[in-house]
């Protein structure tokens, strides 16, 4: 019996969220590969701001990768998604790191889902301060399903739901900029109790 995520005909929006290192990208790659095995056409996009590994692939922290198209994190980038999909009809479309995309992405995702496409979107729910990323938040409340993943807290080993930013070896202050691209040198997964934001109001 085929899995529901493959069998489903009408479109839907599935959001995969959680802190850094929780396996969001791994899950996105896994889901998109399942569509491929079911002989469904698949496309994947990621904001060009996320240059940690490469521009033309979605990459996980564990080394998995999937070919993707880099888009500018602005209205022009969203228009390029619409154009691409108009010319390349796809059953399932993945978006990695939607926290970097403007809130107009929500409207695009809803339009695509209404046209029958399955949207799989990963994004951080919270920034390093523990405050919401608006695009992820707005898509989560409209999604057909939300998968909330956890990492492992590097301090205590419990489930991590927060992303800790580290600057010069210590927790970054509240007033450091929200966007700072980085991996293990700049971020850690931590639980609520171990998450530190010096200077938080
Ligand atoms: P995300 O997209 O949510 O940042 P990835 O899918 O890229 O996550 O990476 C998940 C992988 O990160 C895990 O499979 C594991 O190999 C690795 N990893 C590194 N640090 C941690 C941690 N603290 N907790 C859990 N996994 C971690
Ligand atoms: Mg990721
Ligand atoms: Zn902890």
């Amino acid at each position: 019996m085929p899995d529901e995520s493959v069998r489903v005909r009408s479109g839907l929006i599935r959001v995969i969220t959680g802190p850094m290192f929780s396996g969001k990208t791994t899950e996105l790659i896994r889901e998109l590969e399942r569509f491929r095995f079911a002989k469904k056409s698949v496309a994947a996009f990621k904001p060009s701001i996320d240059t940690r590994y490469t521009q033309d692939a979605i990459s996980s922290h564990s080394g998995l990768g999937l070919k993707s198209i880099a888009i500018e994190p602005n209205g022009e980038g969203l228009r390029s998604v619409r154009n691409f999909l108009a010319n390349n009809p796809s059953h399932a479309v993945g978006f990695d790191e939607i926290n970097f995309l403007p809130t107009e992405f929500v409207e695009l995702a809803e339009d695509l889902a209404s046209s029958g496409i399955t949207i799989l979107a990963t994004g951080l729910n919270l920034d390093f301060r523990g405050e919401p990323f608006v695009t992820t938040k707005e898509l989560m409340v409209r999604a057909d399903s939300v998968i909330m993943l956890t990492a492992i807290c590097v301090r205590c080993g419990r489930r991590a739901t927060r992303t800790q930013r580290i600057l010069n070896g210590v927790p970054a202050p509240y007033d450091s900029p929200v966007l700072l691209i980085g991996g293990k040198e700049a971020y850690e997964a931590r639980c609520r109790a171990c998450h530190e934001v010096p200077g938080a109001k």
Side-chain angles (χ1 to χ4, degrees), residues 153 155-158 190-191 193-194:
C153 176
R155 281 293 183 83
C156 73
R158 283 192 285 251
R190 292 199 190 181
C191 71
C194 296

Side-chain angles (χ1 to χ4, degrees), residues 7-193:
R7 190 168 32 119
V8 74
R9 285 268 165 73
S10 62
L12 55 79
I13 298 174
R14 177 171 302 174
V15 174
I16 304 164
T17 191
M20 274 182 75
F21 308 106
S22 62
K24 301 182 299 297
T25 300
T26 303
E27 179 66 13
L28 175 64
I29 293 171
R30 193 183 81 96
E31 290 273 358
L32 290 176
E33 287 194 330
R34 288 158 59 77
F35 278 94
R36 279 236 180 97
F37 280 115
K39 307 230 180 326
K40 306 288 184 188
S41 53
V42 164
F45 299 90
K46 71 168 187 179
S48 56
I49 195 171
D50 183 10
T51 54
R52 283 174 300 182
Y53 304 96
T54 154
Q55 284 286 1
D56 59 3
I58 289 171
S59 320
S60 79
H61 291 110
S62 54
L64 292 174
L66 187 81
K67 201 168 171 302
S68 69
I69 299 162
I71 55 168
E72 295 293 320
N74 53 33
E76 188 54 45
L78 299 183
R79 273 191 293 282
S80 74
V81 172
R82 281 190 200 271
N83 287 340
F84 180 90
L85 294 174
N87 296 314
N88 301 270
S90 302
H91 288 101
V93 179
F95 294 90
D96 202 20
E97 303 270 15
I98 64 164
N99 47 281
F100 291 131
L101 295 178
T103 51
E104 290 71 29
F105 172 71
V106 175
E107 193 186 329
L108 170 63
E110 292 212 290
D111 286 352
L112 296 176
S114 299
S115 75
I117 298 174
T118 295
I119 304 297
L120 301 164
T122 80
L124 293 166
N125 48 351
L126 301 173
D127 62 24
F128 80 99
R129 298 170 177 158
E131 293 172 356
F133 273 109
V134 183
T135 300
T136 312
K137 179 171 94 171
E138 293 292 322
L139 195 65
M140 281 171 74
V141 295
R142 292 173 173 81
D144 299 279
S145 71
V146 176
I147 301 173
M148 177 83 86
L149 299 174
T150 54
I152 297 297
C153 176
V154 298
R155 281 293 183 83
C156 73
R158 283 192 285 251
R159 286 175 183 273
T161 55
R162 298 289 187 279
T163 303
Q164 177 72 53
R165 180 183 292 170
I166 303 293
L167 268 185
N168 305 316
V170 294
Y174 182 89
D175 61 5
S176 78
V178 167
L179 292 189
L180 186 157
I181 309 299
K184 282 213 151 123
E185 74 295 346
Y187 292 103
E188 293 176 355
R190 292 199 190 181
C191 71
R192 181 188 284 275

